[in-house]
Amino acid sequence: MTTQRDRAYVHGYSRREAKRLLDQAGVLTGLLHHDTGYPPGSLVLEAGCGIGAQTVTLAEKSPGALITSLDLSRSSLLLAEVRAREAGIRGVTFLRGDIDALPFADGSFDHVFVCFVLEHLPDPVSALACLRRVLKPGGTITVIEGDHGSAYFSPDSEAAGKAIDCLVALQKEKGGNALIGRELYPILSRAEFLDVAVSPRMVYVDASHPELVEGFTKQTFTAMVEGVREEALGQGLIEKTEWDQGIRDLYRTCEPDGTFCYTFFKGTGVKRLTPPRGRTRRRGPGAR
Amino acid sequence: MTTQRDRAYVHGYSRREAKRLLDQAGVLTGLLHHDTGYPPGSLVLEAGCGIGAQTVTLAEKSPGALITSLDLSRSSLLLAEVRAREAGIRGVTFLRGDIDALPFADGSFDHVFVCFVLEHLPDPVSALACLRRVLKPGGTITVIEGDHGSAYFSPDSEAAGKAIDCLVALQKEKGGNALIGRELYPILSRAEFLDVAVSPRMVYVDASHPELVEGFTKQTFTAMVEGVREEALGQGLIEKTEWDQGIRDLYRTCEPDGTFCYTFFKGTGVKRLTPPRGRTRRRGPGAR
């Protein structure tokens, strides 16, 4: 079944995309997750787990935590379950559901974890407010997002920049925001989280890191851009010759004298212990 | 006296620029220099010390090292000397000289340190080769450079991007390269240094870091862009209204919901112990 939301995922649901997501998760585990981990017994919601690219890491980093991994796509959930089983992961409950209509009571979780999800949502502040509702007072949220505007490289290339801009435009057209990483601080603040702290996680790639050249520049980033080729050309966002040049130039940065930079952002916030002043409903004499 | 090279320094030599350089040095000391430091007794060349914005830190981080700080501008050297004296720094020798014609014998130094200099030179590989000459075999070079193409922010702004592009264009016109940070790895490799290692030093600014909002986004980066206003408008690189909008938008990123990102790059390399094969001159029977 393909839902409206399924179609809104700019990268699609192909097998190649699944491989890309897993490559990305493997290469970036240390960078993104060295400080991810929840105590035994804590109740954790992974909202928007997709094919489970981060779920196994999350579970491995949090032995004894009770993780609920939610996604809207049934086919992705099936892949995520298989992947978790193959990795010998227990203690993760997979559940179909929508972030905007979470099937949980208020204050159900100690921690919420959201990775590469907000970038695809039309109203991330509202989504965060929904996630805040199911957090216990004092509970934490962790958000990880990329920012395609953070990509730069050597040799520099206008065509490659334009190809990347196509992906940004297509994601925007679907209601997403591929430049959301830089906005995590204001977004978490607007969603009324406290103690908001954001740290950049920069991927810097040169020939002395061949695993990043292959695993990040080629298999993650360039593969992601290439994934929207048909749509970008079909919509006339770019000329075919310029697109092809842009993709060639991205591969060119993988040569021994090339470099590539990209930054992810990881943000955390805390749900306040008491309701904000002015929002508490005062019951007057006539109130029911 | 204003030399040809003096005029080629895109940021000029005003008092405001001197303040900007010192603000920058203060705010960035930890980020750029936490791993800078040379052992007592080692001979260190700081090439292109300017007004000594980094010299005091370098000396403080390397007690007992014998530092020679070189610059082409006599007026900058005078300011650097005063600054070092006021900071109670001893053991630094200030010397006027050109990187392309270093007044030192081969192998004079254990370490060379170059900060915010290569970006202003027309041929950084050749400059690095000159610096390699005065290093002892096995000696190290450390290079720190920014990259203006690494600047992005929220709210995003096309006008601000165009104002930054003016600075990049003016620096290029003077023979420099404001996007050199991302190129340190290939440049150091081309200059035949070994064990080249480059690490990005990203400055991420949001309202939870008021000292960076003031000291970096405003006083360092935006002040630097504002510094080329007359030249950019005079050359017609940008319309006045767009320039003013761009500068306003850079200040806008300093509001509580704004963010700002910029990345410096620090690279190191080692001078090989023996001359490269094929470059050793074989003396034939008839050679003198």
Side-chain angles (χ1 to χ4, degrees):
Chain A
M1 192 185 84
T2 303
T3 66
Q4 177 62 32
R5 179 63 59 79
D6 281 357
R7 278 197 301 275
Y9 182 62
V10 69
H11 309 309
Y13 288 87
S14 67
R15 194 170 294 187
R16 185 180 177 187
E17 170 61 10
K19 183 182 176 307
R20 187 187 73 79
L21 291 172
L22 298 178
D23 281 343
Q24 172 177 274
V27 167
L28 301 177
T29 299
L31 186 75
L32 301 181
H33 297 305
H34 68 84
D35 51 357
T36 301
Y38 300 106
S42 57
L43 299 167
V44 179
L45 172 64
E46 184 194 15
C49 66
I51 60 162
Q54 319 294 328
T55 310
V56 171
T57 303
L58 190 63
E60 285 173 349
K61 291 253 174 198
S62 311
L66 298 162
I67 301 173
T68 301
S69 290
L70 185 94
D71 203 86
L72 196 61
S73 158
R74 204 184 294 276
S75 55
S76 293
L77 278 172
L78 283 171
L79 285 171
E81 279 198 76
V82 169
R83 187 170 151 72
R85 202 181 314 129
E86 283 176 354
I89 297 297
R90 292 164 188 281
V92 177
T93 305
F94 290 94
L95 203 68
R96 186 154 183 261
D98 192 337
I99 289 176
D100 293 335
L102 291 165
F104 310 110
D106 294 6
S108 297
F109 295 95
D110 298 298
H111 306 286
V112 169
F113 178 86
V114 202
C115 188
F116 307 145
V117 174
L118 297 187
E119 59 169 326
H120 300 295
L121 304 182
D123 188 346
V125 174
S126 151
L128 286 174
C130 294
L131 292 166
R132 184 167 47 76
R133 180 185 70 74
V134 302
L135 263 182
K136 296 178 185 171
T140 75
I141 190 162
T142 298
V143 181
I144 301 176
E145 295 291 344
D147 188 316
H148 298 352
S150 75
Y152 53 97
F153 31 82
S154 177
D156 200 7
S157 155
E158 205 180 318
K162 287 190 179 167
I164 296 167
D165 286 345
C166 288
L167 174 55
V168 174
L170 288 167
Q171 194 156 335
K172 191 172 182 182
E173 198 178 88
K174 291 181 165 63
N177 177 7
L179 312 179
I180 201 171
R182 73 190 75 174
E183 294 180 28
L184 282 194
Y185 183 86
I187 286 174
L188 281 161
S189 302
R190 248 177 262 145
E192 295 184 27
F193 285 97
L194 301 182
D195 300 331
V196 174
V198 172
S199 66
R201 311 286 164 116
M202 182 169 168
V203 187
Y204 164 73
V205 188
D206 64 31
S208 69
H209 305 282
E211 77 291 358
L212 288 175
V213 173
E214 192 60 33
F216 188 76
T217 310
K218 280 190 197 172
Q219 306 293 341
T220 298
F221 189 83
T222 306
M224 176 176 68
V225 179
E226 282 188 289
V228 299
R229 181 181 198 277
E230 299 313 320
E231 220 173 340
L233 295 178
Q235 290 201 18
L237 297 181
I238 191 170
E239 293 293 323
K240 184 177 171 304
T241 49
E242 189 160 36
W243 173 271
D244 290 340
Q245 183 65 49
I247 298 299
R248 270 200 304 278
D249 289 349
L250 287 175
Y251 281 110
R252 173 66 185 82
T253 69
C254 299
E255 297 295 309
D257 63 346
T259 63
F260 191 90
C261 302
Y262 186 91
T263 299
F264 296 92
F265 292 80
K266 185 169 187 173
T268 55
V270 177
K271 179 173 177 172
R272 72 174 70 229
L273 286 170
T274 50
R277 275 192 299 176
R279 301 221 167 185
T280 317
R281 280 190 217 159
R282 296 198 183 209
R283 297 196 168 206
R288 278 201 269 182
Chain B
M1 191 187 82
T2 303
T3 65
Q4 175 64 31
R5 177 66 57 80
D6 281 356
R7 279 197 302 274
Y9 182 61
V10 69
H11 309 309
Y13 289 86
S14 67
R15 195 170 294 187
R16 184 179 179 189
E17 170 62 8
K19 183 181 176 306
R20 187 188 73 79
L21 291 172
L22 297 178
D23 282 342
Q24 171 176 272
V27 168
L28 301 177
T29 299
L31 186 75
L32 301 181
H33 297 305
H34 68 86
D35 51 356
T36 301
Y38 300 107
S42 57
L43 299 167
V44 178
L45 172 64
E46 184 194 15
C49 66
I51 61 163
Q54 319 294 326
T55 310
V56 172
T57 303
L58 190 64
E60 285 173 348
K61 291 256 174 194
S62 311
L66 299 161
I67 301 173
T68 302
S69 291
L70 185 95
D71 204 86
L72 196 61
S73 158
R74 203 182 297 274
S75 55
S76 293
L77 277 172
L78 283 171
L79 286 171
E81 279 198 76
V82 169
R83 186 170 154 69
R85 201 183 314 130
E86 283 175 354
I89 298 295
R90 291 166 189 281
V92 177
T93 306
F94 290 94
L95 203 68
R96 186 153 181 262
D98 192 337
I99 289 177
D100 293 335
L102 291 165
F104 309 110
D106 294 5
S108 296
F109 295 96
D110 298 297
H111 306 286
V112 169
F113 178 86
V114 202
C115 189
F116 307 146
V117 173
L118 296 187
E119 60 169 326
H120 299 294
L121 304 182
D123 188 346
V125 174
S126 149
L128 286 174
C130 294
L131 292 166
R132 185 166 46 78
R133 179 184 71 74
V134 302
L135 263 184
K136 296 178 186 172
T140 75
I141 189 160
T142 298
V143 181
I144 301 177
E145 295 291 343
D147 189 316
H148 297 351
S150 75
Y152 53 96
F153 32 81
S154 177
D156 200 7
S157 155
E158 203 178 320
K162 286 189 181 170
I164 296 167
D165 287 346
C166 289
L167 174 54
V168 174
L170 288 167
Q171 195 156 336
K172 191 171 182 182
E173 199 178 88
K174 291 180 167 63
N177 176 7
L179 311 179
I180 200 170
R182 72 189 75 176
E183 294 181 29
L184 282 194
Y185 183 87
I187 286 173
L188 280 162
S189 303
R190 248 177 263 145
E192 296 184 26
F193 285 98
L194 302 182
D195 300 333
V196 174
V198 172
S199 66
R201 311 286 164 115
M202 182 169 167
V203 187
Y204 164 74
V205 188
D206 64 33
S208 69
H209 306 283
E211 78 291 357
L212 288 176
V213 173
E214 192 59 33
F216 188 76
T217 310
K218 279 189 197 170
Q219 306 294 342
T220 298
F221 189 83
T222 306
M224 177 177 67
V225 178
E226 281 188 289
V228 299
R229 182 180 196 279
E230 299 314 319
E231 219 173 341
L233 295 178
Q235 290 201 18
L237 297 182
I238 191 170
E239 292 294 323
K240 184 179 172 302
T241 51
E242 188 160 39
W243 173 271
D244 290 341
Q245 184 63 49
I247 298 299
R248 270 199 305 278
D249 289 349
L250 286 175
Y251 281 111
R252 173 66 184 85
T253 71
C254 299
E255 297 296 308
D257 63 346
T259 62
F260 191 90
C261 302
Y262 186 91
T263 300
F264 296 92
F265 292 81
K266 185 169 185 174
T268 55
V270 177
K271 179 173 179 173
R272 71 173 71 230
L273 286 169
T274 50
R277 274 193 298 174
R279 299 223 168 183
T280 318
R281 280 191 218 159
R282 298 198 180 208
R283 297 198 168 207
R288 277 200 271 180

